[in-house]
Amino acid sequence: MQSALSRRAFGAVAIAALAASALVACGEDAPPTAPLTGSISFWHAYSADSKEVKTLRTEVIPGFEAKFPGAKVVEVSVPYDDLHQKLITAAAGGNLPDVVRSDIGWVPELAKLGVLERLDTAMPDFASFADKVFPGTLATNRYKGGYYGLPLDTNTRVQMYNADALGKAGLTTPPKSFDELRALADKLSGKGVMAFADGGLGGWNVLPWIWSAGGDITDPEYTKATGYLNAPASVAGIQLLFDLYQKGQLGKGVLGGTGSVPTDQGLAKGQYATILDGPWMYPIFAGSFPEFKLQVAPVPAGAGGSVSVVGGEDVVVMKSSANKELALEFTRYLLSDEAQLAMAKVGQMSVLRDLDVTAIDANYAPFVEQLKTAKPRPVTPAWPKIDDLLQKKLQAAFRGETTLQEALDSAAAEIDKLLA
């Protein structure tokens, strides 16, 4: 993801190059021929009582061990909020596991620390896996020209809408474009329904609008934000939200804090016509608002198309692993159709482009389609600070303390320093 190539689709040229190197290295895309034995440790943050961890323990790991009778995977569940710190502490102390299910945001940080194995050089068949996954998910693993992981599971945000709320604007379909969203806001004026709502102004929230407008936060190599975040296209993406907010057609939840109606509650009750959110909302609505029929559509398109943001986790192998071949083979297995289908059955979206997960759950279909163009947040160790800075600058603009252009000019200049 650190190059222009990886920010777009992982193209045929890149795949061909990787495939060529694989052929030189081993003559074919194949797992090691020597018997793999011994044990490896696998850290993850699946909840101890979740369906995911049950499937991992009763299907995925046993399936792998059945293929390699002399191998054993010792899985360790660590609460999500603790896993990041445990990894950083282990990196300093040299007591790391072999394989980790990592949040996509941690990969560049761990790569910078030098603890991750570079998979596009360690795996002769890396190209075959790169070609199977959604480009945006693969890009979350790219750091300074190399790939330090593979996508494991994914998600993205799509438009969710309340048909009855749209009906108050005389509409039967959700907005397909920026212009249609503006028109929806005008038609709902004075009718007690807001056109759109979201829960913040961080990258997860605003990047779909920036990208769909044809803008970006930084250059493709993540070296500067000036000329990108504050460029006309990026400003146009935020301007849409800003204008809706000024008209009272965007919920105050974008500023954070308390006092606003949560997006799920507001959508289900018809207070909001549309929101952006992920596949986890289906069970939430089914449990809390069983009478509400959730409907979804692509993110409204701007000059850059309909582009959303990639979420999920990656699988990484530690450079210090004492049984690296087994660790790499387990990584391969986690991306197999067998393992991906097993986890898809319990709600984990597959990263494999051609795997028909809609046969398991038809609700996956719009997310699979949106993932074809979805992009990752900037893959840089500086991202958490950038994200916090961006949100604070935008909040100031929405509160009227500065203009939107001034806020983005200031944010871009400060982000330049973080990237340097």
Side-chain angles (χ1 to χ4, degrees), residues 347-387:
Q348 184 172 284
M349 277 199 72
S350 174
V351 297
L352 301 179
R353 290 184 291 110
D354 296 331
L355 192 65
D356 185 13
V357 293
T358 60
I360 296 172
D361 187 346
N363 291 332
Y364 281 136
F367 297 93
V368 170
E369 189 63 28
Q370 193 77 67
L371 278 166
K372 293 177 181 179
T373 58
K375 298 181 181 182
R377 286 154 283 184
V379 184
T380 166
W383 173 246
K385 292 182 179 179
I386 292 172
D387 194 27

Side-chain angles (χ1 to χ4, degrees), residues 100-148:
V100 176
R101 177 181 182 254
S102 168
D103 186 281
I104 58 176
W106 304 342
V107 174
E109 179 184 14
L110 294 171
K112 182 180 179 181
L113 289 173
V115 299
L116 300 186
E117 187 68 33
R118 180 172 166 175
L119 297 190
D120 56 332
T121 56
M123 295 174 63
D125 53 350
F126 180 85
S128 66
F129 291 95
D131 195 31
K132 292 178 181 178
V133 301
F134 292 104
T137 65
L138 179 66
T140 65
N141 295 280
R142 187 171 176 83
Y143 179 71
K144 290 191 174 181
Y147 288 89
Y148 289 85

Side-chain angles (χ1 to χ4, degrees), residues 126-415:
F126 180 85
S128 66
F129 291 95
D131 195 31
K132 292 178 181 178
V133 301
F134 292 104
T137 65
L138 179 66
T140 65
N141 295 280
R142 187 171 176 83
Y143 179 71
K144 290 191 174 181
Y147 288 89
Y148 289 85
L150 278 165
L152 179 59
D153 55 82
T154 190
N155 57 70
T156 190
R157 306 179 90 203
V158 301
Q159 182 179 196
M160 299 181 171
Y161 65 96
N162 183 310
D164 291 337
L166 291 179
K168 292 187 177 181
L171 301 175
T172 58
T173 57
K176 298 180 177 65
S177 66
F178 282 21
D179 288 343
E180 288 187 11
L181 180 55
R182 290 183 185 276
L184 171 64
D186 291 340
K187 291 176 181 178
L188 288 174
S189 180
K191 297 186 178 178
V193 181
M194 291 185 185
F196 179 67
D198 207 345
L201 289 168
W204 180 250
N205 311 97
V206 302
L207 274 169
W209 304 104
I210 290 175
W211 287 327
S212 295
D216 214 330
I217 286 188
T218 73
D219 67 312
E221 297 295 336
Y222 309 123
T223 63
K224 63 178 180 178
T226 298
Y228 294 88
L229 177 59
N230 58 342
S234 297
V235 176
I238 303 297
Q239 189 73 50
L240 171 64
L241 301 179
F242 184 82
D243 291 345
L244 293 178
Y245 186 77
Q246 294 298 307
K247 293 178 180 179
Q249 286 295 310
L250 171 59
K252 292 184 178 180
V254 295
L255 293 180
T258 58
S260 62
V261 178
T263 54
D264 59 337
Q265 180 179 324
L267 187 73
K269 293 185 175 182
Q271 294 168 279
Y272 306 141
T274 68
I275 65 173
L276 296 187
D277 223 319
W280 49 82
M281 296 306 296
Y282 282 101
I284 290 175
F285 281 118
S288 301
F289 308 98
E291 301 303 315
F292 172 60
K293 183 178 180 181
L294 176 63
Q295 299 190 64
V296 302
V299 171
S306 171
V307 186
S308 195
V309 59
V310 170
E313 284 77 26
D314 295 326
V315 56
V316 295
V317 175
M318 296 299 159
K319 192 179 293 185
S320 60
S321 173
N323 199 342
K324 200 163 295 178
E325 286 304 319
L326 184 60
L328 292 171
E329 196 59 36
F330 183 58
T331 298
R332 291 183 179 96
Y333 183 75
L334 290 176
L335 268 77
S336 67
D337 288 5
E338 180 181 342
Q340 291 278 306
L341 277 171
M343 298 307 287
K345 290 177 181 177
V346 290
Q348 184 172 284
M349 277 199 72
S350 174
V351 297
L352 301 179
R353 290 184 291 110
D354 296 331
L355 192 65
D356 185 13
V357 293
T358 60
I360 296 172
D361 187 346
N363 291 332
Y364 281 136
F367 297 93
V368 170
E369 189 63 28
Q370 193 77 67
L371 278 166
K372 293 177 181 179
T373 58
K375 298 181 181 182
R377 286 154 283 184
V379 184
T380 166
W383 173 246
K385 292 182 179 179
I386 292 172
D387 194 27
D388 183 63
L389 171 65
L390 176 63
Q391 178 148 263
K392 289 177 178 176
K393 294 289 186 181
L394 290 177
Q395 286 173 341
F398 275 59
R399 288 194 299 262
E401 298 168 8
T402 182
T403 68
L404 185 58
Q405 184 68 60
E406 288 170 345
L408 293 176
D409 286 342
S410 176
E414 293 188 41
I415 292 171

Side-chain angles (χ1 to χ4, degrees), residues 43 45 78-90 102-103 105-107 109-110 113 384:
W43 288 6
V78 182
Y80 178 86
D81 291 340
D82 298 333
L83 181 56
H84 177 259
Q85 186 56 50
K86 187 169 182 177
L87 285 169
I88 300 303
T89 301
S102 168
D103 186 281
W106 304 342
V107 174
E109 179 184 14
L110 294 171
L113 289 173

